[in-house]
Amino acid sequence: MGPVFAVVLVFVGCCSNVVFLELLVRDFPGCGNIVTFAQFVFIALEGFIFETNFGRKKPAIPISNYVIMVTMFFTVSVINNYALNFNIAMPLHMIFRSGSLIANMILGIIILKKRYSASKYLSIALVSAGIFICTIMSAKQVNVSNEGSEDQGFYTFMHWLIGIAMLTFALLMSARMGIFQETLYKKYGKHSKEALFYNHCLPLPGFLLLSTNIYNHCVLFSQSSECRQFILGVFFRVRVSSQVSMITFFAAPTLIPGVELTVPIMWIYLLINVITQYVCIRGVFILTTECASLTVTLVVTLRKFLSLIFSIIYFQNPFTTWHWVGTAVVFVGTLLYTEVWSSVRAALRGPDAKEKKAE
């Protein structure tokens, strides 16, 4: 039940998170900072209560190491979300972040002196080619959409290039953080939940640097969609009969008798985004403790693919044939890297093949 439950959490949490993030970004492209801040506060508060027991539990890994990790994690999170303010479409954002395998391999070779098989290099070449195709096609769309004014088109394109540079930097920084985590876990053991708490708690003072942007978006959220508001009535109706006792939960739009509470729609989107982000992270955490790393990578990859498809269909994001080709190449390369095909063939052969191999 554990792994199945974790997979459900990952798919439901992460896919829902992408939907509500896109709903936020569509109205306010620069809202990345307030979204990141809200997610960090929620996860840090949960970890403070349930992981550190209100600060009474000492960390297994020295705080000094967490400070280094947190600096990288904070930088990656802020830059990834802030890049959406630079004409980066959500599908391209998801595809680009799928290229983490490339960054991990490059830094693994440089820093850890690792060597890989030919299939690994082939998979990285496929992922790189897929991302390159999608990026080039998106660049053409940026140019086409701004044909009216040459100066304006050039400015928009340069603005988009800054976003691509930000995503590239965040990709490399994320890979470096992964290597740093790997060395820490080898030395002190795995403490994923503890790391989750400190990665979200320690960076909170850093948001003071972004306080003006966060405050401005708080104001914008409160005035969101020209006062398009949600009448939030939440109450429980209990029906008791001889055979069934049923509790019905209403969360929209319903009135509490005598109480009328109106909340701007953007705050509703942000709240749901934060909750689904937590569900997603918890699902990944449970999965890492219950399954092999290969399974975790496969589940996360499939989740990204479904999120991408949903984003394209539901939000009608521009996606050409070449985008589909690039996306397919990225995911084939990812599956090749994780050796899914070998695992499937081994599973189909059954236990007899494993015994022969052991002999």
Side-chain angles (χ1 to χ4, degrees):
M1 182 178 177
V4 175
F5 179 66
V7 170
V8 172
L9 286 182
V10 170
F11 276 92
V12 173
C14 296
C15 292
S16 302
N17 179 260
V18 169
V19 171
F20 285 96
L21 177 60
E22 182 145 3
L23 286 171
L24 288 165
V25 170
R26 286 208 153 204
D27 281 354
F28 300 101
C31 69
N33 291 331
I34 190 174
V35 172
T36 308
F37 176 68
Q39 292 173 351
F40 273 51
V41 168
F42 184 87
I43 294 172
L45 183 61
E46 188 275 341
F48 180 72
I49 297 171
F50 297 104
E51 172 59 22
T52 69
N53 193 18
F54 295 94
R56 289 192 286 264
K57 180 183 175 182
K58 292 184 177 180
I61 299 175
I63 292 293
S64 58
N65 288 316
Y66 275 126
V67 170
I68 299 172
M69 188 192 304
V70 158
T71 302
M72 291 187 282
F73 182 71
F74 176 76
T75 304
V76 169
S77 298
V78 170
I79 289 179
N80 269 329
N81 281 334
Y82 198 66
L84 293 168
N85 199 29
F86 290 81
N87 299 328
I88 301 295
M90 188 61 73
L92 178 62
H93 191 272
M94 286 186 281
I95 294 167
F96 214 93
R97 293 179 69 177
S98 298
S100 56
L101 292 174
I102 309 170
N104 285 330
M105 175 175 278
I106 292 172
L107 294 185
I109 293 171
I110 296 172
I111 298 173
L112 301 178
K113 309 299 180 185
K114 287 185 176 181
R115 292 294 176 267
Y116 299 92
S117 62
S119 64
K120 290 285 194 291
Y121 289 112
L122 175 60
S123 67
I124 292 305
L126 289 172
V127 172
S128 302
I131 292 176
F132 178 76
I133 291 170
C134 290
T135 305
I136 292 298
M137 290 301 107
S138 297
K140 288 183 178 180
Q141 286 180 343
V142 170
N143 286 333
V144 169
S145 63
N146 291 279
E147 284 181 344
S149 169
E150 186 175 341
D151 292 338
Q152 185 181 358
F154 177 77
Y155 172 79
T156 304
F157 180 69
M158 293 304 296
H159 200 63
W160 177 82
L161 281 181
I162 292 173
I164 293 296
M166 292 173 71
L167 288 178
T168 303
F169 176 80
L171 201 64
L172 293 171
M173 180 66 77
S174 178
R176 182 65 186 88
M177 183 181 71
I179 292 174
F180 184 71
Q181 283 179 317
E182 186 178 335
T183 56
L184 280 184
Y185 289 158
K186 284 182 179 178
K187 185 175 181 180
Y188 298 102
K190 287 189 176 183
H191 302 279
S192 301
K193 199 172 181 182
E194 177 186 287
L196 182 67
F197 165 69
Y198 283 104
N199 279 342
H200 288 82
C201 179
L202 294 181
L204 289 179
F207 284 100
L208 289 173
L209 301 172
L210 309 170
S211 58
T212 303
N213 180 272
I214 292 172
Y215 173 76
N216 289 338
H217 277 88
C218 284
V219 174
L220 291 172
F221 276 22
S222 297
Q223 303 168 345
S224 59
S225 301
E226 299 179 353
C227 298
R228 177 164 55 100
Q229 294 184 323
F230 221 65
I231 300 174
L232 183 68
V234 181
F235 71 96
F236 291 93
R237 179 184 301 163
V238 182
R239 299 174 186 171
V240 182
S241 67
S242 58
Q243 294 182 340
V244 64
S245 174
M246 182 172 64
I247 297 178
T248 309
F249 178 72
F250 295 85
T254 313
L255 279 175
I256 304 175
V259 179
E260 183 175 328
L261 177 64
T262 58
V263 180
I265 193 68
M266 285 297 151
W267 288 112
I268 300 294
Y269 290 161
L270 181 62
L271 175 63
I272 299 175
N273 174 269
V274 168
I275 293 172
T276 52
Q277 173 73 3
Y278 173 73
V279 170
C280 176
I281 290 178
R282 287 289 294 146
V284 172
F285 167 73
I286 296 171
L287 207 60
T288 55
T289 58
E290 297 279 350
C291 305
S293 59
L294 173 65
T295 306
V296 177
T297 306
L298 178 59
V299 170
V300 171
T301 301
L302 291 175
R303 192 275 304 169
K304 288 179 181 178
F305 184 73
L306 285 179
S307 297
L308 178 65
I309 299 300
F310 188 86
S311 174
I312 294 163
I313 296 173
Y314 185 79
F315 292 102
Q316 297 181 344
N317 283 307
F319 217 70
T320 66
T321 303
W322 279 107
H323 280 98
W324 282 113
V325 171
T327 303
V329 171
V330 167
F331 285 102
V332 168
T334 302
L335 294 176
L336 180 63
Y337 183 90
T338 55
E339 299 178 349
V340 170
W341 317 119
S342 301
S343 300
V344 170
R345 283 198 299 268
L348 291 175
R349 289 196 204 102
D352 294 337
K354 291 182 180 178
E355 290 175 6
K356 290 179 181 178
K357 190 175 181 180
E359 292 173 1

